[in-house]
Structures are given as C-alpha cells and as structure tokens.
Amino acid sequence: MKKFFYSRKAAPYVFVLPFVLTVLLFWIGPIYKGVVLSFQDVMKDEWVGFANYKRLLTDRIFWIAVKNSAKYMVVTCLLLIPFPLLFAVLLNSKLMKRPGLFKSIYFLPALTSVVVAGTVFRLMFGEAPESLMNQLLALFGMEPIKWLKQGGTGFFALVLLCCWRWTGVNIMYFLAGIQAIPADLYEAAEIDGASKFGQFRFITVPLVKPTTIYVLTISIYAGLSMFLESFMLWKGNNSPNFIGMTIVGYLYRQGIEKRAMGYACAVGIVLLILVMIINLIQLKLNGTFDRKED
C-alpha cells in the first residue's frame, strides 16, 4: 500500500480522488436523482413521464419567474462587469492612496450575511415616511412611496442590494487579472505616447479578457439562481404580484411549501439547462472553445 501511494503513476489519481468523489456525491448524484424525480409524482409515488414538463409550458407563474430572473441576470451583468473593472483599474493606479483600505471597504459587504443585508435593505425601502429612502424623497419634496409593492422600485431595490453586495468581489477578480499584466507593456505604450485611455482600451481590456469571461460566467449563474436576496427583501416568498418571484423561488414554493417535489425537480432541471445553454453560447461567442494550445 505504501508503495502504491508513493508511486509517481498513482500520485496524480490519489490527489484528484477527493475532488472526483465530491463531484460524484454532491453534483452528479443529486442531478441524476433530480432528473429521475422530475418524471414522477413523488407524493403519489407514480411515474408521470413528461407531465411535469408539460405543466411548466402553461404555468403562468413559472414564466413570470423566468422573466424576472432573466431581467435580473441581464441588468446585474451590465452593472457588475464594467464598473468593477473601472474601479479595479483605479485601485491599481499610482494615483490611488491607501489602496488596501479601499479594497477592504469594497470587499466588506461580501462578508455580510445575505439575511442581515436583506433585512437592512427591507427597512431602508420600507413604506413608512421614516424609512431611509422615503426620507431622501422628502428632501426633494416628494411623497413617500411603497417601494417594495411596485415592480420598478422593487426591482431597483433588489438590484441595488446585489450591486452593494457583489461589486467588491468582482473588483478583486479584476484586480488580480490586471496585476498579472506585465508592467513592461504599459511602460512601452507610455513611451510610444499612448494615453491612459488608450492603454486601458488596447492593453488592459484585451489582456483581462479571461477574467471578464469568468466573471460573466459566474454572474449568469448567480443571476438566474438568485433566491435568498429576494426572499429576505420581501420577508418571504410572497412578493406582491410576483414582482420578486425568481426561478429558484418558484422551485422553493413548489418543493418546500407545496411539497410537489417532482414538479420542483422539473423546474430545477430546466434552470440547469437554461444556465448551461446561456453560458455555452457566451463562451462560444467569446472564443473560449476556439483556442488551440501551442
């Protein structure tokens, strides 16, 4: 046995074995079980075939959840990629004093519990005139509004919570990518007379592309699978007129609240397929699959 573990041929397999077991137990296994359950009525212990998927096609609330999640994903991607990149460039510049302090400040929201953050934002966007956002409106002579009971303002609160929480994380990703770029490239560009904007456009943006693709990939997944932020902001899974209902929120309603586990598994499988399709398309468009190793 000792000879086996010290073998150069066996060592790579030994090191990778914990990862393989983790994937099998906590990813492949649950997905397989979810696929099987999606073809069943779990409460009646009956095989129903594609009945759960056919039901999804005519389920109005499900399509509202898909629309809400898709809109949330698009908006958060548009905000949480360009702005963190610009902030990372600023933090990496020589003009920035005490960058470590600002890194800590930006990253601090990510360490805050979603439960705590959601509760705080729910109080900020409360209906009472004393809530923070209504006090800001009062400064401009405007009447208090019911922020979380209207589609536009409720969505604004949800996106603001997301940006507050995850901007710092994406800044750290982009900052790591920028600092991996050789300084010689910037020095050569500066000698050639390139402006700061030119250096950003022709050096930073192209060379930080792998980081951008990674951030985009995880942002697509995070946007479509968002649940807890909405759950805490509306203090449950029952937002007015389903303005905060997401795909995972609908899965939770069907599987946990209504105990329709088979139907909930069908929702989860559709979400998995949707995330994979969108990410495969964007990876293809970004040229990830076209790269050839030297």
Side-chain angles (χ1 to χ4, degrees):
M1 182 63 68
K2 184 177 180 181
K3 184 181 292 185
F4 172 78
F5 282 107
Y6 278 89
S7 171
R8 290 188 177 183
K9 293 183 178 180
Y13 298 100
V14 173
F15 282 118
V16 82
L17 183 61
F19 172 76
V20 173
L21 292 176
T22 301
V23 170
L24 291 175
L25 290 175
F26 300 105
W27 202 76
I28 303 297
I31 288 178
Y32 170 75
K33 188 64 175 179
V35 171
V36 173
L37 290 178
S38 70
F39 292 101
Q40 298 178 7
D41 186 331
V42 178
M43 296 299 293
K44 297 180 180 179
D45 195 19
E46 294 180 355
W47 187 269
V48 296
F50 288 94
N52 289 326
Y53 293 96
K54 292 179 180 178
R55 179 182 167 188
L56 283 177
L57 297 176
T58 57
D59 192 329
R60 183 180 65 89
I61 302 176
F62 170 72
W63 289 109
I64 291 175
V66 171
K67 179 182 176 181
N68 289 341
S69 294
K71 182 172 67 172
Y72 176 84
M73 176 202 70
V74 170
V75 173
T76 51
C77 285
L78 291 175
L79 294 175
L80 289 177
I81 293 179
F83 289 105
L85 175 59
L86 293 175
F87 292 148
V89 171
L90 182 62
L91 282 173
N92 195 57
S93 69
K94 297 179 180 179
L95 299 176
M96 176 62 65
K97 297 181 179 180
R98 297 184 179 179
L101 174 63
F102 284 95
K103 291 177 189 177
S104 302
I105 294 173
Y106 281 131
F107 194 76
L108 188 62
L111 303 178
T112 306
S113 167
V114 181
V115 175
V116 174
T119 302
V120 171
F121 271 73
R122 185 173 68 248
L123 296 174
M124 287 172 52
F125 287 90
E127 300 179 19
E130 295 80 14
S131 66
L132 177 60
M133 298 306 294
N134 280 332
Q135 288 187 42
L136 292 177
L137 291 180
L139 295 176
F140 297 95
M142 301 172 66
E143 295 294 325
I145 63 175
K146 298 180 180 180
W147 293 89
L148 300 180
K149 290 187 176 181
Q150 303 176 32
T153 53
F155 182 72
F156 170 76
L158 190 60
V159 171
L160 186 64
L161 171 58
C162 172
C163 292
W164 175 82
R165 182 171 171 77
W166 297 115
T167 297
V169 176
N170 287 357
I171 288 174
M172 294 298 107
Y173 287 138
F174 282 118
L175 192 60
I178 291 172
Q179 291 178 346
I181 300 174
D184 297 346
L185 296 177
Y186 292 103
E187 293 174 1
E190 192 170 354
I191 292 173
D192 291 338
S195 63
K196 292 296 182 182
F197 177 76
Q199 295 176 33
F200 172 76
R201 180 182 176 185
F202 295 106
I203 298 178
T204 304
V205 173
L207 294 182
V208 87
K209 183 180 178 181
T211 304
T212 305
I213 293 174
Y214 172 74
V215 173
L216 177 59
T217 302
I218 63 174
S219 297
I220 289 172
Y221 165 75
L224 289 176
S225 63
M226 185 273 295
F227 166 64
L228 190 55
E229 289 88 344
S230 174
F231 188 89
M232 293 309 304
L233 192 61
W234 275 278
K235 201 177 180 180
N237 202 28
N238 295 299
S239 54
N241 297 320
F242 308 108
I243 59 177
M245 178 64 70
T246 64
I247 300 177
V248 178
Y250 190 61
L251 186 156
Y252 177 87
R253 168 174 288 189
Q254 295 297 326
I256 305 300
E257 297 176 355
K258 296 186 176 182
R259 298 184 182 277
M261 190 60 67
Y263 188 55
C265 286
V267 175
I269 297 302
V270 171
L271 173 60
L272 174 63
I273 294 173
L274 187 63
V275 171
M276 290 182 65
I277 289 174
I278 294 175
N279 267 322
L280 287 174
I281 291 174
Q282 69 91 5
L283 290 172
K284 177 65 177 178
L285 294 176
N286 284 318
T288 303
F289 299 138
D290 299 330
R291 294 178 182 176
K292 297 180 180 179
E293 298 194 9
D294 298 333

